[in-house]
Amino acid sequence: MTTYFTKDHEWITVEGDIATVGITNYAQGQLGDVVYVELPEIGKSVKQGEEAAVVESVKAASEVYAPVSGEVVEVNEGLTDEPAKVNTAAEGDGWFLKLRIADKGQLASLMSADAYKAYLDEIG
Amino acid sequence: MADSPASDTPLLRTPLHDRHAALGARIVAFAGYAMPVQYPKGIIAEHLWTREKAGLFDVSHMGQAVLAGSDHAAVAAAIESLVPGEIRDLKPGALRYTQLLTEDGGIIDDLMVTRPAAPQEDGRLLLVVNAARKEVDYAHIAARLPAGLTLTPLTDRALIALQGPQAEAVMARHCPRAVELGFMTATRAQFDGIDCHVSRSGYTGEDGFEISVADSDAGTVWDALLAEAEVAPIGLGARDTLRLEAGLCLYGHDIDETTSPVEAGLVWSIGRRRRAEGGFPGFDRIRREMSEGPSRRRVGIRPSGRAPAREGTAIAAGGRPVGTVTSGGFGPSVGGPVAMGYVARGFTDIGTEVSLSVRGRDEPATVAALPFVPNRYKR
């Protein structure tokens, strides 16, 4: 099980050909209190870099992009009733959706945990 | 709340800036100032704290100015030629919410006008205007002043607001004079021995105070209030959710030069004498809108679902467009999305079912009574 990160502050954990996607702890900190999440339909196909979900804080709406292309196989229904889970467990129970990965080759374009940490230091 | 567009002009700082930074505030650009949008507890916690205890706000970015003339009649007549509020009969020590109007009855800015309490200050009015409109307002007023009157911006004064049900108990310890004030009255006073001008007012729907002090004293007053157990610092993010729940307009969003006070639902702020006599810009439009009803009006909107409807969201009814959201988001005390916007005549009744176009989807919503949370002003 390996976790990768994007420059848009999504994380993706891969087990076999299924990937779990969420936003990073850094991202939730930037957003502030999350009050609403809009999750995709199961069965929807999303392309790498395209909007897969929407997360809304008190102040504004932000897109969650698909780190890799794939088909949505599961969404975190728990976030509908408890969107604040994105704040309290961004990189755990606050996951957004699971994808069946279309092309594992795309994972090579993502960052490792160390590379993401260095990226955060860089953007300050 | 809109952040100012990026520019090369360095952001102005209030005298409390270093304190905000030390408290861990997230600082954003707002109306040309570097202002705290939230502290580490976050907007929801700050909002709820203010509703339950006492929130401390730095509103030093707002414009403070003095209009001065020979006597009250002279300054009142001058300001009444620009605003529809009743200023002439304002008692010493009372303040009014009113609007600077264009010739067409559009709102240049909304402001507070205070008649000082002390007899020796007769002939002065204290104005508090929005940060983003300061320069526009001052130029507008100055260009229309009769001979013998002066408008002087107070550029060396800070403004601190303490808002919430426990604000009175806190003020009693530092400024006993303040707790004698009724809602919308003001006085000069001493805060721990520091000269200040304090009013019982605010913009959160809660009981509270606004304290005007010299820049050099602002830190002392801020620190003394923050040291109280009931008090927490509150940023502009929660100020926005509080005023939205309280049904209060935000300039540049809910009101601007295209909206009249009647459309904005601010008829209550137009004095009875002034409705009859006029004598302020846009009177023809305002009189017509008051008798015939405006073609559109500001209303509260409650989305039925959980998705917030933001500023700019289109409002439809029966498949056709009827209006636009001007402020919208999550109301922490309501526990769900709340919004305000303008809808066409015929769709303003409370309970009218409308739909909101949120990211291309039609979300059901209902025209709702304002405020969303009952006001708790001191009566």
Side-chain angles (χ1 to χ4, degrees), chain A residues 4-14 19-23 46-52 64-70 97 99 101 103 105-111:
Chain A
Y4 303 87
F5 297 84
T6 73
K7 286 194 170 181
D8 295 316
H9 308 291
E10 291 95 11
W11 56 265
I12 174 170
T13 295
V14 179
T20 305
V21 176
I23 66 170
V46 292
K47 288 207 171 77
Q48 186 178 32
E50 283 184 356
E51 178 184 313
V64 179
Y65 301 108
V68 296
S69 304
L97 52 104
L99 290 172
I101 303 173
D103 174 7
Q106 288 176 342
L107 294 169
S109 63
L110 305 176
M111 285 182 274

Side-chain angles (χ1 to χ4, degrees), chain B:
Chain B
M1 183 182 63
D3 294 349
S4 299
S7 84
D8 296 334
T9 315
L11 294 172
L12 299 168
R13 293 179 168 193
T14 79
L16 300 167
H17 182 274
D18 292 348
R19 283 173 169 79
H20 302 317
L23 287 164
R26 180 170 302 165
I27 306 286
V28 300
F30 181 78
Y33 284 79
M35 295 298 292
V37 66
Q38 65 171 83
Y39 300 86
K41 281 182 182 170
I43 293 173
I44 292 177
E46 291 173 24
H47 175 116
L48 297 174
W49 182 284
T50 305
R51 291 258 185 261
E52 289 163 16
K53 298 180 178 181
L56 185 63
F57 302 75
D58 178 12
V59 286
S60 302
H61 59 313
M62 309 272 297
Q64 301 181 66
V66 175
L67 183 66
S70 55
D71 55 24
H72 178 69
V75 289
I79 202 76
E80 282 199 354
S81 73
L82 306 175
V83 305
E86 165 63 79
I87 308 299
R88 192 183 74 191
D89 297 339
L90 207 53
K91 291 187 171 63
L95 57 150
R96 278 283 151 78
Y97 169 81
T98 189
Q99 308 87 33
L100 285 171
L101 297 177
T102 68
E103 288 304 318
D104 299 330
I107 301 172
I108 296 167
D109 198 7
D110 59 344
L111 70 162
M112 291 288 185
V113 178
T114 304
R115 180 178 182 183
Q120 62 270 27
E121 288 193 83
D122 196 52
R124 290 158 65 94
L125 293 173
L126 310 176
L127 313 181
V128 177
V129 305
N130 280 300
R133 299 297 281 176
K134 271 189 234 190
E135 302 313 321
V136 171
D137 296 344
Y138 295 160
H140 177 85
I141 296 167
R144 287 161 182 79
L145 283 186
L149 268 70
T150 56
L151 178 71
T152 309
L154 301 175
T155 53
D156 56 356
R157 288 185 81 78
L159 193 63
I160 294 169
L162 185 69
Q163 301 278 295
Q166 295 181 20
E168 181 176 64
V170 171
M171 285 297 277
R173 293 169 215 147
H174 299 275
C175 186
R177 182 80 187 78
V179 304
E180 298 167 14
L181 294 169
F183 182 55
M184 295 299 273
T185 67
T187 184
R188 292 205 179 277
Q190 300 272 304
F191 183 104
D192 292 346
I194 294 167
D195 286 330
C196 68
H197 184 267
V198 58
S199 67
R200 193 144 201 172
S201 65
Y203 218 62
T204 60
E206 297 297 324
D207 181 26
F209 302 86
E210 290 196 350
I211 308 159
S212 172
V213 290
D215 281 351
S216 53
D217 291 325
T220 307
V221 172
W222 175 272
D223 291 346
L225 289 170
L226 201 53
E228 299 290 351
E230 300 96 328
V231 178
I234 311 297
L236 292 184
R239 188 169 174 85
D240 192 45
T241 55
L242 288 159
R243 71 91 201 164
L244 173 59
E245 284 186 342
L248 300 168
C249 292
L250 181 61
Y251 195 85
H253 302 261
D254 309 298
I255 47 175
D256 58 31
E257 292 194 6
T258 71
T259 50
S260 77
V262 186
E263 291 176 329
L266 301 175
V267 167
W268 59 269
S269 72
I270 305 178
R272 188 175 302 170
R273 170 177 60 84
R274 313 239 41 219
R275 294 181 202 188
E277 291 177 5
F280 54 85
F283 178 54
D284 289 347
R285 173 183 176 182
I286 287 166
R287 181 170 48 185
R288 188 181 66 246
E289 288 179 348
M290 285 179 63
S291 67
E292 298 173 6
S295 59
R296 60 174 180 166
R297 210 172 79 80
R298 180 172 65 98
V299 295
I301 308 275
R302 275 303 311 266
S304 309
R306 293 169 185 243
R310 309 288 181 177
E311 181 177 2
T313 300
I315 306 170
R320 66 188 183 95
V322 297
T324 309
V325 170
T326 50
S327 280
F330 181 81
S333 299
V334 170
V338 289
M340 301 196 298
Y342 284 82
V343 294
R345 190 202 302 245
F347 299 92
T348 58
D349 286 350
I350 291 162
T352 303
E353 290 180 7
V354 295
S355 72
L356 304 171
S357 180
V358 177
R359 285 184 291 278
R361 267 206 322 271
D362 284 341
E363 298 275 356
T366 311
V367 173
L370 293 174
F372 294 107
V373 170
N375 295 328
R376 293 197 288 186
Y377 303 131
K378 178 81 175 184
R379 292 297 174 188

Side-chain angles (χ1 to χ4, degrees), chain A:
Chain A
M1 194 174 84
T2 313
T3 302
Y4 303 87
F5 297 84
T6 73
K7 286 194 170 181
D8 295 316
H9 308 291
E10 291 95 11
W11 56 265
I12 174 170
T13 295
V14 179
E15 284 180 280
D17 60 351
I18 301 297
T20 305
V21 176
I23 66 170
T24 66
N25 197 47
Y26 170 84
Q28 71 77 21
Q30 292 293 304
L31 285 171
D33 298 317
V34 171
V35 296
Y36 179 73
V37 294
E38 188 176 299
L39 299 167
E41 301 277 325
I42 289 172
K44 185 186 176 185
S45 286
V46 292
K47 288 207 171 77
Q48 186 178 32
E50 283 184 356
E51 178 184 313
V54 177
V55 55
E56 300 214 27
S57 68
V58 176
K59 295 307 297 172
S62 309
E63 293 79 26
V64 179
Y65 301 108
V68 296
S69 304
E71 180 194 337
V72 177
V73 294
E74 193 179 342
V75 295
N76 188 355
E77 302 284 0
L79 294 187
T80 307
D81 290 331
E82 210 184 325
K85 257 188 195 169
V86 176
N87 294 118
T88 54
E91 298 183 20
D93 287 349
W95 61 277
F96 280 66
L97 52 104
K98 295 189 182 192
L99 290 172
R100 188 180 309 282
I101 303 173
D103 174 7
K104 281 200 164 184
Q106 288 176 342
L107 294 169
S109 63
L110 305 176
M111 285 182 274
S112 67
D114 285 347
Y116 180 67
K117 192 169 174 294
Y119 173 66
L120 289 184
D121 289 342
E122 191 183 308
I123 62 176

